[in-house]
Amino acid sequence: MAEVLLFVGVLVAMFVGYNIGGSTTGPAFGPAVGAGAVSKSTAAALMTGFFFLGAWTIGRRVVDTLGSDLVTSPGVFTLETSIGVLFFIGLALFVGNVFGVPASTSMTAVGAIAGLGVANGALDWAVMGGIVIWWIVAPVIGFWVSLVIGRYFYGRLDRLLAMDQTEGAVFQVDRSDGLLPTVSVREDASNREAIGVVSVVVIGCLMAFSSGTSNIANAIAPLVGSGELAMNPGILIGGLAVGIGAFTIARRTLETMGSDITDLPLTAAIVVATVSAALVVFLSFIGIPASFVVIATMSIVGLGWGRATRPIKVTDAVRGEAEETPPVSVHALAADGDGDPAPPIGEEDPSDIPTPGELFDPATTARVVLMQNVVPLISTVGAFLTFRYAPFF
């Protein structure tokens, strides 16, 4: 019977890993895909490799701590309860992926474990409170940092990087000279554009690595904590499942993060990825499960909003002299890329704001924000009700 339960547990853990791949590939490589830096298949391959690298190196530490720090009694992780926790994590993430929204894996997993802890009176409220505070603060920081960059520095950054995008792939691969292919920059693409492409992909790889350090625990920590699954096989199983999710269901979240919310030029993609990656690394450094999916989303929104508000001076807005706040534009992020000096704040021509059909998509943004809060709630409430009232637990 125990062998059957373990087999079921491994299948559920792989289901969780599958959905982790689907929900975290978008935030890591959505900006790169949206900017045309890499294809979806290349993004999936990079996500798989760097996620596994992060999981195999630092991730095992998070696996060891997730089942002990958040609950006061690690004994609550039996084989049966571990399967239940993994089931609710996977179910909630699957709901987010079905709607094409990259839900926070860390929030979903912590929510399910918290539901188990509350149901058994074993939740460490101090640890939980610290995690929740940072979940609120970090996206706000990401939004405002990106807004300030978009409003005051984006034009200068865009001219400095000079990355006017050309059609097609920046790099071309030549396989005619033997077994080893040679990679070169396409003739009509600039070296600075190539540097920009490499930069945004490297940052995506860093985010994938960071995801592996924290999110592998969300898939296998309950089983490893119960003593039923060894660490190394667990990481191999979880990494394989994440790769499957990255190559399949992640295509929808890549579209959401890369094009449906906003049409990111390469400079904007680098800004969003840099801000998000920096916050994720900081949160991981202080031991907080990083909700980088929310941070990345709010960074995109903040950058677009900052670019769209350039026609209005802060003093005019405070005095009420501005007729109205300009709409947030997806193509406002691409402004100032023609080499001309950016107009001073408040003197930018409002007619440069695109038509309503080109505006920042509020419906997609609302769907993303709503689902990113609903998905963790599903896992938390479902786990609590099950572990509190189900007789077989």
Side-chain angles (χ1 to χ4, degrees), residues 263-352:
D263 186 10
L264 288 178
L266 203 52
T267 303
I270 291 176
V271 171
V272 169
T274 302
V275 171
S276 302
L279 283 169
V280 168
V281 170
F282 169 73
L283 290 176
S284 300
F285 180 76
I286 63 175
I288 302 296
S291 179
F292 71 86
V293 60
V294 180
I295 297 172
T297 301
M298 295 309 297
S299 295
I300 292 174
V301 174
L303 187 63
W305 191 268
R307 292 297 302 131
T309 56
R310 278 186 57 85
I312 297 178
K313 292 182 179 180
V314 173
T315 53
D316 291 343
V318 172
R319 295 172 188 163
E321 295 178 7
E323 294 183 2
E324 62 180 17
T325 301
V328 179
S329 165
V330 297
H331 295 294
L333 294 175
D336 301 335
D338 55 5
D340 296 330
I345 298 293
E347 298 181 14
E348 193 156 341
D349 188 356
S351 64
D352 290 337

Side-chain angles (χ1 to χ4, degrees), residues 34-57:
V38 295
S39 66
K40 292 179 182 178
S41 297
T42 302
L46 291 172
M47 180 69 196
T48 303
F50 281 92
F51 182 96
F52 179 79
L53 181 63
W56 189 263
T57 54

